[in-house]
């Protein structure tokens, strides 16, 4: 079961394949982000060079998570989206987009959907866990990272 309705555009790897390790990780149920091999700074989104020391020694690293295979963060910001930004969302109702800060990865921030009741109370700083949502029937199978409280 998927959170958002069918008919939305499928995510694709960038033409330069820079983000391919992220998408391969999600398919394997792993949250992979970049970390500089020189200064060890975490960064998101994918870039060819480190924002901190400008090294080109960027590595893809699995986020440690509080327990193996469990990736946690906290809500940094959020919005309840009511306007359908794509025809497939018409009539779907509200959904919640969150910016999640990952303390196990240098407090980088990622954007995603908050699963559950679209009218739930959302608290800045609340703990969330990553949920991997596979889309095996897509033209090119992919897995999204969604978030849930708890």
């Amino acid at each position: 079961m998927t959170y958002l309705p069918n008919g939305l555009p499928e995510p694709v790897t960038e033409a330069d394949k820079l983000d391919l390790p992220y998408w391969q990780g999600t398919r394997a149920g792993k949250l992979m982000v970049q970390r500089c091999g020189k200064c060890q700074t975490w960064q998101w989104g994918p870039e060819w060079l480190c924002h901190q020391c400008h090294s080109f020694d960027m590595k893809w690293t699995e986020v440690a998570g509080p327990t193996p295979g469990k990736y946690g963060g906290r809500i940094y910001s959020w919005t309840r989206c009511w306007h359908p930004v794509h025809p497939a969302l018409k009539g779907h109702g509200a959904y919640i987009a969150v910016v999640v800060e990952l303390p196990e990865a240098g407090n980088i921030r990622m954007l995603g959907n908050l699963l559950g009741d679209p009218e739930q109370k959302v608290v800045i700083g609340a703990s969330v866990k990553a949920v991997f949502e596979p889309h095996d029937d897509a033209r090119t199978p992919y897995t999204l990272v969604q978030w849930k409280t708890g």
Side-chain angles (χ1 to χ4, degrees):
M1 181 173 156
T2 60
Y3 179 66
L4 295 174
N6 291 329
L8 291 169
E10 297 174 2
V12 294
T13 302
E14 296 294 327
D16 61 12
K17 305 289 187 211
L18 178 61
D19 61 345
L20 183 60
Y22 169 78
W23 292 109
Q24 290 171 329
T26 64
R27 290 298 289 163
K30 296 178 180 181
L31 187 57
M32 304 291 290
V33 298
Q34 284 185 313
R35 191 168 195 189
C36 179
K38 183 176 179 184
C39 74
Q40 299 302 303
T41 297
W42 296 88
Q43 93 182 13
W44 181 258
E47 296 283 348
W48 290 108
L49 68 118
C50 175
H51 294 176
Q52 182 69 31
C53 73
H54 303 119
S55 168
F56 285 94
D57 188 19
M58 298 307 297
K59 313 257 188 242
W60 284 91
T61 306
E62 183 178 3
V63 175
T67 57
K70 305 286 184 190
Y71 307 98
R74 58 183 166 250
I75 296 175
Y76 179 82
S77 182
W78 67 279
T79 188
R80 196 176 326 271
C81 306
W82 292 93
H83 178 73
V85 295
H86 187 276
L89 293 172
K90 186 173 181 165
H92 183 68
Y95 61 95
I96 300 171
V98 289
V99 177
V100 174
E101 192 168 63
L102 301 174
E104 304 292 335
N107 291 322
I108 61 167
R109 297 176 189 139
M110 301 181 101
L111 182 65
N113 294 313
L114 184 63
L115 301 179
D117 184 349
E119 295 190 35
Q120 68 186 286
K121 181 179 178 182
V122 182
V123 178
I124 299 295
S127 295
V128 291
K129 293 182 180 148
V131 174
F132 294 89
E133 180 184 280
H135 292 258
D136 298 330
D137 295 335
R139 275 190 312 270
T140 301
Y142 64 93
T143 299
L144 294 177
V145 177
Q146 310 279 25
W147 300 92
K148 70 175 185 173
T149 56

